[in-house]
Amino acid sequence: MITRRGALLGSAALPLVRPAQAQTPSTLRIAMTLADIPVTDGAPDQGTEGIRFMGYTLYDPLVMWDLSSATEPAKLVPGLATKWYQDPADPTKWIFELRRDVKFHHGAPFTADDVIFSLDRTLNDKSPAFDRLGRSVLIAAVWPIVGYRKLDDHKVELQTKGVDTVMPSLLNRFTIASADNFEKVGRDWQAYRKSPSGTGPWKMVAWTPRERAELARNTDYWNKDRIPKSERLVLLPIPDVSTRSAALLSGRVDWIEAPAPDTLEKLRSEGCKIETNAIPHMWPYTLSLLPGAPTADIRVRKAMNLAVDRDAMVKLLNGLAVPAAGCVPPDHPWFGNPSFKIKYDPAEAKKLMAEAGYGPTKKLKMKVAISTSGSGQMYPLIMNEFIQQQFAEIGIELAFEVMDWNALLNLMRQGAKSAEGAPYGAINVSWNTMDPHNAFMRFIDSQQVPPKGSNWGYINDPEFDKLANEARSMSDPAALDKVLARINTRMVDEAVFVWFVHDVWPNAISPKVKGYVHPKSWYVDFSPVTVG
């Protein structure tokens, strides 16, 4: 019997492209870890991987990432906004000057009206543009904004509740959809998804849910240096790691995310390149800190952090990870100087568990929500099995609820207090740490509890709130680094997460693929890549 995933790899399952066309040198075929095609309307689901494949391809944000270097950390640069600055008369207001002579894929010009429309979509439930589903994805990027208005066709004003110098960096995840296209499709977001229009370097040609998406290069893209060199980009959702690796070895795809660790030598022997880089991305357990939860006890949280041999986990993954000791690596300016050292110390872990009231006759039983695959989830099944075995040695019995990545994200957005979240002591959701908000504030700020943010476990600590507010008031980068280092220090000392590893985002790539740059980023620029 042929499975659906297996069928996707056969030519009969590729109805949107003729077989000869699918093999032309100008078509780049990528096997994603996702189980479905991300939403196409400018509010991509499926986590940050959705932004990578269906956000930054079809759309642009006001503030974007420079992804051209494999050696320097990615930095924020102008996107659809050419500059932004605080109003000298009121520093809670930011002025964004917009790029001129930009067109959406269907031909309409980009103006301030599109920015206001996209903000209405997320923040104004009285607007015809309001999109409840889109809001759930986009709110994390615009939540500090309490007011906004058009100043002229190429200038908008965004206002925050107080002084917030971090807000502009959040906008890298806020892509701009077309007000004109929304009217053309009858003010219907479902219809917009079928006829998407952004300003990005790729245009949608065709897509079939759970099967494939085909994008064509936008020859009219406003940044002439980033017009794609390949004519087509084909995205295939293949969540099974073995199936992805087999697809590359058979020549049915040109690029796969997260190859099976035990296939690396075989892939290399066939001429494939295994591309990795140290990227800002952590793979933790997010813990419930609600009163009465076992993990509300800091002794239990510290024991969990001491129970896992991270070097052994990296070895299990054939080197495709880096041990973690906090939200960022120890050589990062945001790491700080925690007094609690995350390491493998099962004897100390058992001692802490005993102090917390657990032992041979009283095991701690905990349910953890995990995914089968997904954005940055690396190899969740084998990694969680390894953790389960290690936790068992200190008296913690883990039971896993395994679900689709999007279902896990929906659970995360509901929080540990919800009826859906209450049965779980932890969730295994990986996180990018590229900017201050995504690295820290969305977890430790009490304002960021669901549905507004990612504080799933309800961390509610006045010191964390104070540090978050202090960070948002900083305009000097060096001063901001120091505050963020204090946040990471306190997060580790309070053991609010269980940190396991940092991702290196491994990609296995056919020798036919040229021009690829593996940036120090969760994102990637597909524009310079060619095949053949």
Side-chain angles (χ1 to χ4, degrees):
M1 180 178 178
I2 299 176
T3 65
R4 183 188 64 81
R5 282 196 298 264
L8 290 180
L9 301 176
S11 59
L14 308 180
L16 301 178
V17 185
R18 295 187 301 273
Q21 183 183 13
Q23 300 301 320
T24 58
S26 59
T27 298
L28 173 63
R29 301 160 300 169
I30 299 179
M32 306 180 292
T33 66
L34 301 177
D36 200 357
I37 300 297
V39 172
T40 61
D41 61 6
D45 59 355
Q46 305 283 335
T48 312
E49 191 167 357
I51 300 174
R52 178 196 290 154
F53 285 113
M54 208 58 73
Y56 290 169
T57 48
L58 300 181
Y59 298 87
D60 291 310
L62 296 175
V63 181
M64 65 199 315
W65 294 102
D66 179 353
L67 302 170
S68 61
S69 174
T71 58
E72 298 295 325
K75 60 183 179 180
L76 291 168
V77 295
L80 290 179
T82 56
K83 65 171 64 173
W84 50 94
Y85 46 88
Q86 288 169 289
D87 184 338
D90 184 352
T92 69
K93 295 178 179 178
W94 286 82
I95 310 303
F96 284 77
E97 296 184 11
L98 306 180
R99 194 173 297 277
R100 298 169 183 267
D101 301 321
V102 175
K103 290 186 177 181
F104 285 94
H105 298 154
H106 71 291
F110 161 70
T111 69
D113 291 329
D114 300 296
V115 178
I116 301 302
F117 160 76
S118 296
L119 288 165
D120 279 347
R121 173 189 189 177
T122 310
L123 297 173
N124 183 4
D125 61 4
K126 302 296 189 296
S127 169
F130 184 69
D131 173 20
R132 197 167 301 281
L133 181 61
R135 173 187 165 82
S136 69
V137 174
L138 297 172
I139 187 62
V142 296
W143 73 269
I145 297 172
V146 295
Y148 50 92
R149 65 190 179 109
K150 172 183 173 180
L151 300 180
D152 62 38
D153 281 348
H154 294 93
K155 192 178 292 184
V156 296
E157 176 190 274
L158 309 184
Q159 184 170 16
T160 55
K161 185 176 181 180
V163 175
D164 191 338
T165 57
V166 172
M167 183 276 290
S169 69
L170 272 66
L171 298 178
N172 76 85
R173 297 170 67 95
F174 187 68
T175 51
I176 305 301
S178 167
D180 180 79
N181 192 51
F182 186 68
E183 294 294 330
K184 279 183 164 48
V185 299
R187 295 187 172 187
D188 181 345
W189 282 110
Q190 289 284 356
Y192 197 110
R193 291 168 196 143
K194 296 176 182 177
S195 300
S197 184
T199 61
W202 300 87
K203 298 180 179 181
M204 180 62 71
V205 174
W207 61 278
T208 301
R210 294 192 174 275
E211 291 190 11
R212 62 183 288 124
E214 183 183 345
L215 285 63
R217 69 180 167 202
N218 178 11
T219 56
D220 296 323
Y221 187 55
W222 56 267
N223 185 345
K224 303 309 177 186
D225 293 333
R226 289 192 59 233
I227 293 175
K229 297 189 183 307
S230 291
E231 292 177 357
R232 291 285 190 272
L233 175 63
V234 175
L235 304 173
L236 301 171
I238 306 180
D240 182 75
V241 60
S242 298
T243 307
R244 284 197 304 276
S245 298
L248 181 59
L249 286 168
S250 68
R252 294 189 176 110
V253 298
D254 310 299
W255 173 335
I256 65 171
E257 295 190 292
D262 60 0
T263 64
L264 298 188
E265 292 309 312
K266 175 62 175 175
L267 289 165
R268 289 188 179 105
S269 72
E270 296 293 327
C272 296
K273 296 168 286 186
I274 309 299
E275 296 279 1
T276 63
N277 206 340
I279 67 169
H281 197 265
M282 61 170 166
W283 197 93
Y285 277 1
T286 303
L287 304 174
S288 172
L289 269 67
L290 292 173
T295 43
D297 189 326
I298 191 172
R299 295 169 297 188
V300 172
R301 301 197 301 269
K302 286 187 173 181
M304 295 170 78
N305 273 288
L306 297 173
V308 176
D309 186 342
R310 291 160 181 80
D311 291 331
M313 178 181 278
V314 171
K315 185 176 181 180
L316 174 70
L317 299 179
N318 212 349
L320 299 180
V322 176
C327 291
V328 293
D331 61 352
H332 197 288
W334 299 345
F335 185 78
N337 187 28
S339 58
F340 175 57
K341 306 301 180 184
I342 294 176
K343 58 186 177 180
Y344 181 46
D345 191 342
E348 179 65 17
K350 289 177 183 177
K351 179 182 174 184
L352 287 166
M353 290 297 292
E355 291 175 3
Y358 299 97
T361 60
K362 185 184 178 183
K363 307 280 188 179
L364 170 55
K365 297 182 179 181
M366 181 183 298
K367 192 174 183 180
V368 181
I370 71 173
S371 67
T372 53
S373 183
S375 171
Q377 291 296 89
M378 301 178 68
Y379 307 93
L381 299 182
I382 60 174
M383 293 168 76
N384 276 294
E385 287 174 3
F386 177 85
I387 293 165
Q388 186 180 48
Q389 294 168 9
Q390 299 244 286
F391 275 19
E393 294 179 10
I394 69 163
I396 300 177
E397 295 182 359
L398 294 185
F400 296 128
E401 185 74 27
V402 184
M403 59 190 74
D404 171 79
W405 172 231
N406 232 25
L408 182 60
L409 286 179
N410 290 334
L411 181 69
M412 181 273 294
R413 293 187 184 109
Q414 295 178 67
K417 274 188 178 180
S418 67
E420 294 80 6
Y424 302 99
I427 57 171
N428 175 214
V429 174
S430 60
W431 308 100
N432 93 76
T433 56
M434 293 181 65
D435 59 77
H437 177 79
N438 282 299
F440 302 111
M441 266 94 87
R442 61 172 165 169
F443 309 120
I444 53 90
D445 190 336
S446 63
Q447 299 181 79
Q448 288 291 292
V449 296
K452 184 180 288 187
S454 304
N455 187 351
W456 179 85
Y458 287 79
I459 296 171
N460 188 359
D461 181 328
E463 183 62 23
F464 276 135
D465 288 345
K466 177 183 175 183
L467 288 168
N469 288 331
E470 191 174 342
R472 292 191 187 101
S473 69
M474 293 291 174
S475 55
D476 175 54
L480 176 60
D481 285 351
K482 291 179 180 178
V483 177
L484 298 177
R486 288 163 59 197
I487 293 176
N488 187 71
T489 295
R490 185 168 181 80
M491 289 184 74
V492 174
D493 284 344
E494 293 294 316
V496 294
F497 284 0
V498 185
W499 292 272
F500 296 108
V501 294
H502 297 294
D503 194 5
V504 295
W505 191 38
N507 294 295
I509 298 177
S510 163
K512 297 185 297 181
V513 174
K514 309 295 181 185
Y516 171 61
V517 174
H518 194 313
K520 287 181 176 290
S521 168
W522 173 244
Y523 304 109
V524 64
D525 186 0
F526 299 110
S527 292
V529 179
T530 61
V531 182

